[in-house]
Amino acid sequence: MWRTGGFTLIEVLVALSILSIIIASFTLLFGAGFSGIFAGGHRSKAQYTAQEGMETVLSGHEYSQEHVDITTEPADFSLVFPGEITNTITVPGTGITVRYDDGERTVSLVTFVSTE
């Protein structure tokens, strides 16, 4: 026949179609990976900012940062030990809540500090 060692037009088009599908798949995969990396970075920043606020408040200093809301309120922490004789231990203290909210992500840290 006419064949002299080259590829037909249909063979080339099929090969290009398969190659295009593979390239598109990898492009979508890399795009999803990059968006996951950036989202993780933003979550880490939110967590760090909330933790920084908590540490500053625990050290006795004022903390003012955009998107951070800090509340402190008197609270009692009680432990109840059931049994034949029920024992309850109550510790007075302060509850501290640090909330970071920038509209896209929210991080809340809550702790209890004894006043005794």
Side-chain angles (χ1 to χ4, degrees):
M1 282 228 158
W2 295 72
R3 199 155 188 137
T4 60
F7 294 106
T8 65
L9 180 60
I10 292 183
E11 291 173 332
V12 170
L13 290 177
V14 168
L16 285 175
S17 298
I18 292 172
L19 187 61
S20 298
I21 291 171
I22 292 171
I23 290 173
S25 299
F26 279 115
T27 302
L28 292 174
L29 181 67
F30 284 127
F34 282 127
S35 66
I37 289 170
F38 287 123
H42 292 304
R43 279 192 304 272
S44 293
K45 178 186 176 223
Q47 180 70 31
Y48 171 76
T49 304
Q51 181 178 351
E52 180 184 44
M54 179 65 75
E55 290 172 356
T56 303
V57 169
L58 288 174
S59 69
H61 297 91
E62 289 290 321
Y63 185 76
S64 177
Q65 179 80 16
E66 188 178 11
H67 308 299
V68 177
D69 181 36
I70 298 174
T71 57
T72 59
E73 56 188 38
D76 289 339
F77 184 75
S78 296
L79 290 171
V80 178
F81 298 99
E84 291 180 22
I85 301 173
T86 302
N87 290 328
T88 302
I89 299 173
T90 302
V91 180
T94 303
I96 302 172
T97 303
V98 177
R99 186 169 189 267
Y100 175 90
D101 186 1
D102 65 358
E104 293 183 31
R105 60 205 48 82
T106 301
V107 174
S108 292
L109 300 177
V110 180
T111 192
F112 175 80
V113 179
S114 171
T115 55
E116 285 190 349

